């Protein structure tokens, strides 16, 4: 391996990609963990932790990744940092394919992609001093910073708001928030281009969380960093991200600019996820009806549902959702969504109107106002589109089987009629909360 | 719900204590829980008082190490229950539950109350449930300890409870083991277990912290519905202000083992009168507001409970520590003073000073 080892300038920042250019590009990325059984350890199945995702990270931005536990967000983080070997797909960093690079070929790249881990208690070696921990990247990469490693480590400690004199202390002498700062200092040691942070604040107390969030913010502005921040807390993600990817069972279901996503989520799952966040406002206790309760639990990633993976819990699911997987399409500029019947937008499969039985059960948990509002906004958007202002991408999905259960099901659900009429009487523009 | 009425309602009178029995359903007076350790005395709870009526919900918020969980275990009498030789917790104060003082009561009597009059939902259902027994066995055990019924009746009761908390196919799942349940289902099973005896006081210690938001929403809904149905008093302990706002009638904010602010939920959220509460509100990114540029964190970190700062425990982190005169924040511990109807805060600043700072400096930034 040849490490050119340029002067890893603490002062000079060499950023190859200009802000806004694609830094990391991921196509069709998959990671299946085999399940082996028996004497011969034959593979009997696989946990499809990440199952075909595409996205890119632009230089200088923060991409937030949200989803429930088990949706594959952490696996995704480990794949793009190449801590795990992808099963399929490609990862390109600065135009270079790094999907299957070996350990030694990866080493020069490691300098550019660093990671901050969730648990500041287990990610720091308890037998090493802070100086050794933060100085380790220099030793591994054979980099001799200006003025020596010790001086550079002390500078890094002060950058993250720690006392440089604590150089010789051990991790147990620090609180949780301080340890997370140590982890951040270590990640920043080699002037990375991209930092992947996996739940960087979820182990911290609220008041400390805010300190670390602000620190990450400041560092990004000072050093021009690119972040991929993986978290389950939607309010933290909104605070830090420019764009947000929502994952469900190994897939990205929606990828959009922050403001678009939070103002008008298009995927029903995104909408449900956001409505589930408790609002710290006692006066809204009565406004609980806006909440969308999802039925049951996330299905197992060993045998994910066919078609759209959310169809087992979705209140808008129809026949097509069980058979055809919706592609991730850019329906609005800056908002990609994978859904046949998106919220706040024209229905992508308007022919298919019959709700599944499961969807009817799911809809019972959703307040009527929410359903009505959703139908109204979809209708309004559709009407605008019909007027010809914008021509949106046509749904590539074919109508699967509308007639099959049309007769028996049409009677009982009053909901579906409202939800299914694409262009109806109401022309008022979409009201957003 | 089949009501197997609480037999033995007539309880032995508590040992006579100095102060008269209060009228409130639950009243905690000057509760102190201290733990002797090699490094010194850990004052986890250091003088806490509050009252709670039936059918009401009290939310206790605070950071880790502020004494929230120790308070709840103290009420349940679980600190004295374990014998750790000389390392026993030192508990003082009074806890009145429905006219009975618990700390001075006979341990056997408290054991009869525990699980029946007062029950608890723990944070991590995987470690709170026994992995070796089925969910059904564990619920049946909880029921039969307090009710002399045979196993069949108890099992029927267990299935009924599992059904009530929304576990599908309760007659089958009753024979499942905890590891066969998902996180949300386990938490439901634990709620079923704690409610099996219709307790009048339910303490939920971080009931949703280990769960995803969508499951959290389901569980919070369930707790709210069950409370309405059973009319019990609920104490919900959490660090998430969102959860507290959803459920609580009253809020108690703890810091360094003491209550620093207490009042009706609306007051605490809209007219908070303690700088630490301001800090908590400012630290939190909120989905229901416009995006703020920066969060306003509380500087520093929570105090060590062995060396609680003298004076106001919050003074090293408080941006307004120098507002009151004569360095009083560093020498005198502030007492809770009434700042509004049913609203107390422990701060040396005058009412006017706090009102001005809140309305002029803090509120506009939130």
């Amino acid at each position: 391996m040849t490490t050119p080892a340029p002067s890893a300038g603490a002062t000079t920042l060499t950023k190859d990609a200009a802000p806004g250019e694609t830094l990391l590009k991921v196509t069709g990325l998959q990671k299946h963990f085999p399940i082996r059984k028996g004497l011969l350890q034959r593979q009997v199945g696989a946990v499809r932790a990440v199952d075909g995702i595409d996205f890119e990270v632009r230089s200088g931005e923060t991409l937030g990744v949200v989803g429930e536990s088990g949706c594959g967000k952490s696996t995704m983080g480990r794949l793009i940092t190449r801590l795990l070997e992808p099963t399929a797909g490609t990862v390109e960093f600065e135009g270079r394919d790094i999907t299957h690079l070996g350990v030694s070929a990866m080493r020069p790249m490691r300098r550019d992609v660093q990671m901050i881990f969730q648990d500041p208690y287990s990610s720091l070696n308890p037998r090493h001093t802070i100086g050794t921990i933060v100085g380790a990247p220099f030793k591994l990469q054979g980099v001799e910073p200006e003025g020596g490693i010790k001086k550079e480590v002390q500078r890094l400690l002060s950058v993250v708001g720690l006392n440089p004199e604590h150089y010789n202390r051990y991790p147990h002498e620090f609180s949780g928030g301080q340890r997370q700062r140590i982890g951040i200092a270590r990640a920043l040691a080699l002037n990375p281009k991209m930092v992947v942070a996996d739940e960087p604040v979820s182990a911290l107390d609220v008041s400390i969380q805010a300190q670390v969030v602000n620190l990450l913010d400041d560092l990004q502005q000072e050093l021009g960093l690119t972040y991929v921040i993986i978290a389950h807390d939607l309010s933290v993600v909104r605070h830090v991200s420019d764009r947000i990817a929502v994952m469900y069972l190994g897939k990205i279901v929606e990828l959009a600019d922050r403001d678009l996503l939070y103002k008008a989520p298009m995927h029903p799952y995104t909408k449900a996820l956001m409505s589930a966040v408790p609002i710290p406002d006692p006066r809204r206790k009565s406004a609980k009806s806006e909440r969308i309760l999802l039925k049951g639990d996330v299905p197992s990633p060993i045998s994910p549902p066919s078609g759209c993976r959310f169809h087992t819990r979705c209140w808008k699911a129809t026949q097509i959702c069980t058979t055809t997987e919706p592609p991730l399409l850019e329906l609005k500029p800056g908002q990609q969504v994978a859904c046949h019947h998106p919220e706040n937008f024209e229905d992508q499969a308007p022919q298919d109107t019959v709700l599944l039985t499961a969807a009817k059960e799911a809809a019972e948990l959703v307040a009527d106002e929410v359903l009505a509002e959703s139908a109204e906004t979809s209708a309004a958007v559709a009407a605008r589109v019909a007027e010809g202002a914008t021509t949106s991408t046509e749904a590539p999905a074919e109508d699967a089987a509308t007639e099959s259960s049309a007769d028996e099901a049409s009677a009982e659900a009053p909901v579906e009629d409202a939800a299914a009429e694409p262009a109806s009487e109401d022309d008022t523009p979409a009201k957003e909360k | 719900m089949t009501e197997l009425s609480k037999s033995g309602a007539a309880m032995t009178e508590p040992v006579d204590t100095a102060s008269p029995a209060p009228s409130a359903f639950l009243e905690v007076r000057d509760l102190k829980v201290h733990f002797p350790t090699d490094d010194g005395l850990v004052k986890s709870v250091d003088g806490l008082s509050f009252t709670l009526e039936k059918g009401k919900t009290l939310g206790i918020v605070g950071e880790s190490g502020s004494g929230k969980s120790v308070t709840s275990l103290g009420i349940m009498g679980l600190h004295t229950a374990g014998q750790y030789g000389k390392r026993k917790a030192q508990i003082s104060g009074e806890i009145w539950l429905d006219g009975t003082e618990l700390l001075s009561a006979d341990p056997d009597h408290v054991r009869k109350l525990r699980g029946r009059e007062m029950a608890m939902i723990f944070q991590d259902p995987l470690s709170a449930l026994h992995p070796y027994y089925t969910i059904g066995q564990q619920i049946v055990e909880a029921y039969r300890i307090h009710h002399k019924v045979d196993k069949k009746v108890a099992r029927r009761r267990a299935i009924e409870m599992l059904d009530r908390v929304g576990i599908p196919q309760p007659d089958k799942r009753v024979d499942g083991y905890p590891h066969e349940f998902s996180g949300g289902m386990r938490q439901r099973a634990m709620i079923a277990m704690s409610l099996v005896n219709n307790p009048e006081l339910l303490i939920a210690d971080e009931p949703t912290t280990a769960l995803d938001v969508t499951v959290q929403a389901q569980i919070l809904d369930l707790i709210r519905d069950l409370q309405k149905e059973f009319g019990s008093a609920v104490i919900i302990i959490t660090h998430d202000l969102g959860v507290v706002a959803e459920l609580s009638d009253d809020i108690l904010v703890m810091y360094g083992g003491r209550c620093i602010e207490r009042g009706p939920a609306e007051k605490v959220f809209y007219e908070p009168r303690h700088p630490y509460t301001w800090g908590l509100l400012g630290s939190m990114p909120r989905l229901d507001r416009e995006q703020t540029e920066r969060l306003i964190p509380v500087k520093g970190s929570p105090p060590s409970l062995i060396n609680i700062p003298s004076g106001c425990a919050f003074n090293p982190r408080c941006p307004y520590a120098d507002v009151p005169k004569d360095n009083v924040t560093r020498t005198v511990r502030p007492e809770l003073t009434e700042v509004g109807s049913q609203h107390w805060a422990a701060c040396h600043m005058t009412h006017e000073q706090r009102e001005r700072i809140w309305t002029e400096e803090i509120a506009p930034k939130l």
Side-chain angles (χ1 to χ4, degrees):
Chain A
M1 109 191 164
T2 48
T3 315
S7 63
T11 45
T12 52
L13 291 170
T14 43
K15 289 282 168 252
D16 298 355
E21 273 177 37
T22 304
L23 186 66
L24 179 90
K25 190 170 187 324
V26 170
T27 11
L29 191 65
Q30 286 188 357
K31 178 69 192 178
H32 294 179
F33 294 100
I35 304 167
R36 296 180 196 282
K37 269 202 178 135
L39 187 65
L40 296 172
Q41 290 293 295
R42 202 194 301 266
Q43 185 176 339
V44 293
V47 177
R48 300 176 175 197
V50 170
D51 205 17
I53 57 174
D54 308 87
F55 64 92
E56 45 190 58
V57 183
R58 299 170 198 151
S59 189
E61 75 165 354
T62 302
L63 177 72
V65 182
V66 279
E68 294 176 275
S69 47
C71 72
K73 53 190 194 305
S74 290
T75 308
M76 189 279 293
R78 278 155 199 261
L79 287 171
I80 60 174
T81 46
R82 281 299 320 283
L83 296 175
L84 285 172
E85 182 78 20
T87 311
T90 54
V91 181
E92 281 171 51
F93 187 75
E94 294 189 309
R96 186 167 164 224
D97 188 346
I98 60 163
T99 321
H100 296 292
L101 289 186
V103 174
S104 57
M106 233 356 249
R107 181 138 299 164
M109 307 292 302
R110 297 261 177 237
R111 183 178 302 173
D112 294 332
V113 184
Q114 288 287 331
M115 195 150 180
I116 300 170
F117 296 93
Q118 170 173 9
D119 182 1
Y121 291 83
S122 61
S123 60
L124 302 176
N125 188 332
R127 309 186 68 158
H128 285 183
T129 62
I130 300 315
T132 323
I133 290 171
V134 179
F138 297 114
K139 300 215 171 90
L140 287 170
Q141 292 282 348
V143 171
E144 183 64 36
E146 252 174 89
I149 291 180
K150 182 172 177 185
K151 200 173 156 211
E152 179 62 13
V153 168
Q154 291 186 328
R155 190 191 67 85
L156 285 164
L157 291 179
S158 59
V159 164
V160 298
L162 293 171
N163 187 343
E165 283 157 27
H166 293 167
Y167 182 83
N168 276 322
R169 293 202 181 176
Y170 287 90
H172 74 261
E173 296 173 72
F174 294 90
S175 68
Q178 288 173 317
R179 284 177 204 225
Q180 200 56 299
R181 288 170 191 266
I182 296 166
I184 294 171
R186 173 174 62 183
L188 294 179
L190 294 164
N191 264 320
K193 292 185 177 129
M194 185 171 90
V195 174
V196 178
D198 189 357
E199 303 269 10
V201 296
S202 57
L204 309 173
D205 273 320
V206 203
S207 69
I208 311 295
Q209 223 173 48
Q211 294 174 359
V212 173
V213 165
N214 280 351
L215 173 67
L216 288 172
D217 226 18
D218 294 343
L219 291 171
Q220 181 169 41
Q221 297 200 343
E222 276 167 41
L223 307 173
L225 292 170
T226 306
Y227 287 136
V228 175
I229 293 184
I230 299 166
H232 68 275
D233 186 329
L234 281 102
S235 29
V236 168
V237 166
R238 179 178 89 153
H239 190 84
V240 298
S241 310
D242 300 312
R243 288 194 306 143
I244 293 162
V246 183
M247 287 186 72
Y248 185 75
L249 269 182
K251 291 271 186 195
I252 292 181
V253 295
E254 185 159 3
L255 176 58
D257 292 346
R258 175 188 63 202
D259 292 339
L260 290 174
L261 187 86
Y262 279 89
K263 286 216 178 80
M266 287 212 230
H267 200 284
Y269 177 65
T270 316
K271 191 164 179 172
L273 201 60
M274 285 189 338
S275 78
V277 177
I279 299 296
D281 185 348
R283 283 184 196 157
R284 303 210 359 176
K285 229 192 290 187
S286 49
K288 153 202 167 191
S289 57
E290 287 166 24
R291 170 159 300 160
I292 300 166
L293 280 182
L294 288 180
K295 186 167 64 89
D297 291 315
V298 183
S300 156
I302 298 173
S303 50
S306 63
C308 172
R309 293 180 174 200
F310 188 54
H311 84 251
T312 52
R313 302 171 82 195
C314 182
W315 63 97
K316 297 181 103 184
T318 57
Q319 190 62 39
I320 190 174
C321 303
T322 62
T323 51
T324 316
E325 189 175 318
L328 188 65
L329 292 176
E330 185 155 2
L331 295 184
K332 259 188 221 169
Q335 193 162 14
Q336 300 175 41
V337 64
C339 182
H340 293 302
H341 309 291
E343 295 276 317
N344 299 312
F345 201 71
E346 180 193 12
D347 205 319
Q348 297 297 293
Q351 354 39 351
D352 202 16
T353 54
V354 181
L355 289 180
L356 297 175
T357 342
K360 277 181 225 144
E361 282 169 24
E364 279 166 19
L365 294 172
V366 183
D368 294 343
E369 301 95 86
V370 176
L371 290 174
E373 188 199 303
S374 134
E376 204 175 278
T377 49
S378 301
V381 173
R384 269 210 311 266
V385 172
E387 277 163 30
T390 43
T391 37
S392 74
T393 34
E394 275 307 315
E398 236 71 76
D399 186 6
T402 330
E403 70 288 288
S404 65
S405 53
D407 305 327
E408 67 204 79
S410 56
E412 337 64 284
V415 169
E416 68 190 57
D417 299 326
E421 271 169 47
S424 65
E425 63 290 358
D426 201 341
D427 275 336
T428 49
K431 277 203 303 285
E432 275 133 23
K433 265 209 57 54
Chain B
M1 176 133 309
T2 54
E3 176 62 54
L4 281 131
S5 68
K6 286 180 200 296
S7 55
M11 284 149 196
T12 46
E13 276 305 303
V15 189
D16 206 33
T17 38
S19 40
S23 54
F25 172 64
L26 173 74
E27 178 157 355
V28 173
R29 287 183 193 158
D30 198 29
L31 179 70
K32 289 184 181 170
V33 185
H34 295 174
F35 300 95
T37 69
D38 288 341
D39 299 326
L41 194 63
V42 177
K43 297 178 177 173
S44 290
V45 179
D46 201 22
L48 182 71
S49 308
F50 63 87
T51 57
L52 178 62
E53 292 297 346
K54 257 190 215 177
K56 293 283 181 190
T57 305
L58 172 74
I60 302 186
V61 267
E63 294 179 90
S64 43
S66 59
K68 329 184 277 294
S69 294
V70 173
T71 305
S72 64
L73 294 174
I75 296 171
M76 292 289 289
L78 293 174
H79 283 309
T80 39
Q83 296 293 332
Y84 300 106
K86 287 177 203 157
R87 289 297 171 79
K88 240 167 97 172
Q90 302 167 357
I91 306 178
S92 65
E94 291 167 38
I95 300 168
W96 290 89
L97 178 74
D98 213 4
T100 316
E101 207 286 305
L102 298 178
L103 288 180
S104 58
D106 179 15
D108 285 335
H109 180 60
V110 177
R111 189 173 303 131
K112 286 202 186 98
L113 295 178
R114 198 184 299 132
R116 182 191 179 92
E117 292 286 323
M118 51 185 183
M120 189 151 173
I121 303 171
F122 294 90
Q123 172 173 2
D124 179 7
L126 194 56
S127 56
L129 292 169
H130 199 299
Y132 187 75
Y133 296 102
T134 63
I135 297 289
Q137 284 170 324
Q138 299 184 49
I139 299 179
V140 164
E141 184 194 2
Y143 191 60
R144 291 189 73 215
I145 283 177
H146 296 289
H147 295 90
K148 296 281 161 275
V149 293
D150 66 28
K151 281 186 181 165
K152 270 191 188 152
V153 178
R155 188 183 149 88
R156 230 178 295 138
R157 170 83 180 156
I159 294 173
E160 186 186 294
M161 282 314 294
L162 288 178
D163 189 38
R164 178 63 199 84
V165 297
I167 288 182
Q169 297 181 302
D171 47 335
K172 298 214 170 57
R173 299 310 293 264
V174 73
D175 294 318
Y177 288 91
H179 74 266
E180 297 171 325
F181 283 54
S182 69
M185 286 296 152
R186 264 180 227 138
Q187 196 59 291
R188 283 170 195 264
M190 194 148 76
I191 293 175
M193 194 191 310
S194 57
L195 291 180
V196 72
N197 293 311
N198 283 349
E200 303 199 309
L201 171 66
L202 180 66
I203 303 178
D205 187 358
E206 304 262 9
T208 58
T209 308
L211 307 173
D212 280 316
V213 270
T214 54
V215 184
Q216 166 170 290
Q218 296 169 353
I219 298 289
L220 293 182
D221 231 44
L222 177 66
I223 294 179
R224 192 181 0 229
D225 289 351
L226 291 172
Q227 179 183 23
K228 239 179 244 160
E229 188 178 321
F230 293 94
S232 23
V234 175
I235 298 179
I236 183 148
I237 293 171
T238 174
H239 65 273
D240 187 335
L241 289 170
V243 172
V244 187
E246 292 265 322
L247 289 179
S248 312
D249 300 303
D250 287 318
I251 292 177
L252 191 158
V253 185
M254 283 189 81
Y255 188 81
R258 304 194 108 202
C259 168
I260 53 103
E261 182 156 5
R262 172 156 65 95
E266 287 225 0
K267 291 269 182 196
V268 175
F269 273 94
Y270 290 103
E271 295 161 35
R273 287 290 174 264
H274 195 284
Y276 177 64
T277 318
W278 301 340
L280 281 182
L281 291 169
S283 302
M284 206 179 27
R286 299 177 59 154
L287 281 186
D288 58 329
R289 300 276 170 88
E290 283 300 308
Q291 179 88 17
T292 47
E293 261 311 297
R294 281 179 79 77
L295 301 174
I296 316 156
V298 187
K299 66 178 183 187
S301 32
S304 149
L305 293 172
I306 296 176
N307 292 310
I308 296 179
S310 62
C312 173
F314 187 59
N315 84 66
R317 304 177 74 190
C318 182
Y320 308 102
D322 291 317
V323 173
K325 279 181 194 140
D326 302 333
N327 216 10
V328 69
T329 46
R330 291 177 188 87
T331 48
V332 182
R333 193 176 245 201
E335 292 300 324
L336 279 175
T337 48
E338 195 153 6
V339 292
S341 89
Q342 298 296 308
H343 185 189
W344 293 268
C347 182
H348 283 302
M349 280 189 277
T350 62
H351 190 60
E352 291 71 34
Q353 280 167 336
R354 279 179 275 167
E355 198 165 87
R356 189 190 59 76
I357 293 172
W358 166 252
T359 46
E360 289 174 16
E361 295 178 27
I362 312 286
K365 284 195 216 149
L366 292 182

